[in-house]
Amino acid sequence: MKQLIFLMMTLLVGFHNPVEQKSVRTISGKVIGADDGLPLPGVKVLIKGSTKGTQTDANGHYSIQVETGDRLVFSFLGYKTEELKLPKTDRLNVKMKPDVQALGEVVVTGYAGRRERKSMSAPAIAQMNIMVEDVQEEMDIDFVENDALIYFDHYIPETNRESYAKIEENGFQSPWKNPYSTFSIDVDAAAYSNMRRFINNGSLPPKDAVKLEEMINYFDYDYEGPRGKHPFAVSHEVSQAPWNEQHQLVHIGIQGEKMEVRDLPPSNLVFLLDVSGSMNSPDKLPLLKKSLRLLVDEMREEDRVAIVVYAGAAGEVLPSTSGKDKHKILAALDKLSAGGSTAGGAGIQLAYKIAQRNFLEDGNNRIILATDGDFNVGASSDKAMEEFIEEKRKSGVFLTVLGFGTGNYMDSKMEVLADKGNGNHAYIDNLLEAKKVLVNEFGGTLFTIAKDVKLQVEFNPATVQAYRLIGYENRKLNDEDFNNDKKDAGELGAGHSVTALYEVIPVGVESSFIPLDDLKYQQTAKQKLSGNTSDLMTVKLRYKKPDEDTSIYLDTVIKNQSVSLNRTSENFRWSAAVAGFGMLLRGTDYAELNYNDVIKMAKNAKGADEFGYRAEMIKLAEMAQLLTKVNE
């Protein structure tokens, strides 16, 4: 009886105190800048009072599950934070206003070092965890002695061991002294995503981390494809240099043959994965695993993959497995965890052994090395690694290097390994970049259509007073290397494009950049050439087929004809805008321009921008402008 009375009372209490049922729904929308209407990629969208959130994609779009009563908080560096109630509909578009004052409170912590932290109790340190499309990114908010806010990337250790090879920016050359400009093509784009990481974290990148050619080649260009016997086509344009009206800018574009994924040859891949202790942070091994899941999803039945890991020692965790058995491959990836030291040398040796064991005669044989670059045990010197990989590439196994994380990212070492392995180098700072490299550019990243591609430009001294190559400082070759088939150069992937820019000072133009000419004993030769004013330069190119060792030669003449800047293609103007952005980040002495010039030029050349990469660069330029003002 007592139990019955208790049950009835419980039911009555339930009727008089109903529990509010919260409904779950999905809110989506687009975030744009209120100042220019352009989409804002990478905006943090957080449910207030929780760690649940997401971020906007390259086109400013987001989608998030919410419950009744939730409030959404939108935050982005350089913009005022917006806190909004849920709308009655499932659509919430947001306009964010620039906030220069807030950005001024950020203490910029670049490559040079950090300020000392003031000792504080644990409750004084605020942490915010944000889920970003399944990838966890963290940011610490800490205080310094002057009580100004400082934003630290949670994953950068107190001792920053990142390394970048020193770059001496190309200067102007005289065609009388140096008639040839010879270099290896570059399709790497690691410097761009690395630069983006610095700016998104509230600091300008180190000067030597900015490689103009990699920034320019990060983007797709609308070049005409090949029609003849060669696997690529060469195009060019000539106009005035946007940063110096008296100078000319020569744009050279190379477009590789595009291939459907179904038409690509089968792949024999070996994932060589760093699982050492230095990889134990969310922007390293967890992001690495999610990135490779995207690649596995693209694999076909005829493709195969093996997985080799290295920490204190190296070992094979998955034998060569067909792409149809995705569950086996993904299960092996899911089991990986980080710990131990870094036997990078042993790992590379084992990966090449397995790749050769499963070699496909008519296929794509490639090792994909994924690491933060911290080789500190074993055959870790650059020299030892270079020699080993240089020898192994003769077997037909190529090497792609994917860099992850911050703090000990060895850009200089990663680039060397990829170059010596006849491969390419990318830096993965988020899942969208992984999608770009491993899905959108699947063929270009993994399938080589031409190797050892070299360019040699011969300038006509009758029309060119001086010239300089923009970027490619660490890709320059000796002039005699052009005809030497034993000299290694860059590779071109299926569908990839390569862009090179030259700034030219025409004959007769007065310029402070003109190098000295020693013409005492060349006057006769100069007079003979003075009438040949129809040509500006000749572009010569050599390449090898992926399975051959003898180069193929072709050339094209660029006439001494220039069009006005407003009649050039979007390809020309966009590449010039990117070059200008890079020169500003490097603090160049060769161009008179500012961020307003670059941003205006980029907006006018943005074009269709299918994936939103160009809109993102415009935002990065705007953020860099604000950060520069803060530094000043």
Side-chain angles (χ1 to χ4, degrees), residues 91-159:
R91 186 76 179 172
L92 178 59
N93 296 325
V94 180
K95 290 184 178 181
M96 299 189 70
K97 299 177 181 178
D99 190 354
V100 179
Q101 182 178 359
L103 188 65
E105 296 175 350
V106 178
V107 179
V108 180
T109 58
Y111 182 64
R114 289 182 172 167
R115 301 180 61 175
E116 292 292 324
R117 298 188 182 192
K118 184 177 180 180
S119 178
M120 301 183 65
S121 60
I125 301 176
Q127 286 192 337
M128 178 175 65
N129 298 326
I130 302 175
M131 297 303 296
V132 182
E133 294 186 20
D134 263 351
V135 180
Q136 188 180 51
E137 297 181 350
E138 296 182 4
M139 175 180 287
D140 283 353
I141 301 176
D142 209 343
F143 290 91
V144 291
E145 293 179 2
N146 64 356
D147 292 330
L149 281 175
I150 181 167
Y151 293 79
F152 289 103
D153 184 331
H154 183 70
Y155 313 119
I156 301 180
E158 289 300 319
T159 303

Side-chain angles (χ1 to χ4, degrees), residues 252-269:
I252 301 171
I254 300 173
Q255 177 61 57
E257 180 182 4
K258 297 180 180 179
M259 301 174 66
E260 296 292 337
V261 172
R262 64 177 180 271
D263 297 328
L264 294 171
S267 289
N268 161 39
L269 303 179

Side-chain angles (χ1 to χ4, degrees), residues 81-360:
T81 298
E82 299 285 347
E83 180 181 324
L84 302 174
K85 295 180 179 179
L86 298 183
K88 294 181 180 179
T89 65
D90 292 336
R91 186 76 179 172
L92 178 59
N93 296 325
V94 180
K95 290 184 178 181
M96 299 189 70
K97 299 177 181 178
D99 190 354
V100 179
Q101 182 178 359
L103 188 65
E105 296 175 350
V106 178
V107 179
V108 180
T109 58
Y111 182 64
R114 289 182 172 167
R115 301 180 61 175
E116 292 292 324
R117 298 188 182 192
K118 184 177 180 180
S119 178
M120 301 183 65
S121 60
I125 301 176
Q127 286 192 337
M128 178 175 65
N129 298 326
I130 302 175
M131 297 303 296
V132 182
E133 294 186 20
D134 263 351
V135 180
Q136 188 180 51
E137 297 181 350
E138 296 182 4
M139 175 180 287
D140 283 353
I141 301 176
D142 209 343
F143 290 91
V144 291
E145 293 179 2
N146 64 356
D147 292 330
L149 281 175
I150 181 167
Y151 293 79
F152 289 103
D153 184 331
H154 183 70
Y155 313 119
I156 301 180
E158 289 300 319
T159 303
N160 195 321
R161 299 176 58 243
E162 295 189 16
S163 69
Y164 301 93
K166 185 173 179 58
I167 296 175
E168 293 291 344
E169 191 174 8
N170 290 329
F172 281 96
Q173 303 290 326
S174 165
W176 286 103
K177 283 185 175 181
N178 301 285
Y180 298 112
S181 170
T182 309
F183 65 97
S184 165
I185 70 160
D186 187 1
V187 292
D188 292 344
Y192 181 88
S193 50
N194 189 39
M195 171 275 296
R196 176 178 62 204
R197 183 251 303 188
F198 275 97
I199 292 178
N200 281 336
N201 286 340
S203 64
L204 294 171
K207 179 179 178 179
D208 291 326
V210 180
K211 302 173 187 177
L212 298 185
E213 73 281 359
E214 293 192 18
M215 290 183 61
I216 294 168
N217 285 302
Y218 181 84
F219 301 94
D220 290 328
Y221 295 90
D222 186 24
Y223 297 139
E224 185 176 344
R227 295 182 179 180
K229 61 181 180 179
H230 302 293
F232 50 81
V234 181
S235 59
H236 62 268
E237 286 185 81
V238 182
S239 183
Q240 67 190 60
W243 47 83
N244 192 323
E245 294 182 356
Q246 290 186 308
H247 293 185
Q248 292 178 328
L249 186 65
V250 181
H251 176 116
I252 301 171
I254 300 173
Q255 177 61 57
E257 180 182 4
K258 297 180 180 179
M259 301 174 66
E260 296 292 337
V261 172
R262 64 177 180 271
D263 297 328
L264 294 171
S267 289
N268 161 39
L269 303 179
V270 178
F271 292 168
L272 175 56
L273 309 182
D274 183 351
V275 294
S276 62
S278 67
M279 294 291 289
N280 190 24
S281 47
D283 64 340
K284 294 185 179 181
L285 185 58
L287 177 57
L288 182 161
K289 291 158 67 174
K290 290 179 172 64
S291 299
L292 291 181
R293 289 181 72 95
L294 299 177
L295 176 56
V296 172
D297 286 341
E298 297 296 309
M299 294 182 65
R300 306 157 299 178
E301 181 176 348
E302 61 266 33
D303 300 324
R304 304 189 66 83
V305 63
I307 300 179
V308 174
V309 299
Y310 64 92
E316 182 182 39
V317 299
L318 179 74
S320 187
T321 302
S322 169
K324 71 176 181 180
D325 296 323
K326 290 181 172 53
H327 62 286
K328 291 183 181 180
I329 304 171
L330 297 177
L333 284 173
D334 289 340
K335 292 178 182 177
L336 300 180
S337 59
S341 55
T342 316
I348 285 181
Q349 292 176 23
L350 179 58
Y352 272 104
K353 181 178 179 180
I354 293 172
Q356 289 174 303
R357 182 193 306 160
N358 299 285
F359 193 85
L360 297 175

Side-chain angles (χ1 to χ4, degrees), residues 494-537:
H496 260 179
S497 62
V498 178
T499 301
L501 302 179
Y502 280 96
E503 184 175 358
V504 169
I505 303 176
V507 167
V509 171
E510 294 185 7
S511 174
S512 59
F513 296 115
I514 297 174
L516 294 176
D517 281 332
D518 296 327
L519 298 177
K520 181 177 180 181
Y521 300 107
Q522 299 184 34
Q523 294 297 333
T524 302
K526 185 175 181 181
Q527 290 173 1
K528 289 181 179 179
L529 287 169
S530 62
N532 180 19
T533 59
S534 61
D535 296 351
L536 191 67
M537 61 182 72

Side-chain angles (χ1 to χ4, degrees), residues 468-486:
R468 77 180 189 99
L469 175 61
I470 296 177
Y472 292 94
E473 284 86 359
N474 60 357
R475 299 283 181 164
K476 290 190 292 187
L477 300 172
N478 295 326
D479 293 338
E480 59 270 21
D481 292 338
F482 181 72
N483 292 322
N484 182 1
D485 280 355
K486 293 183 179 180

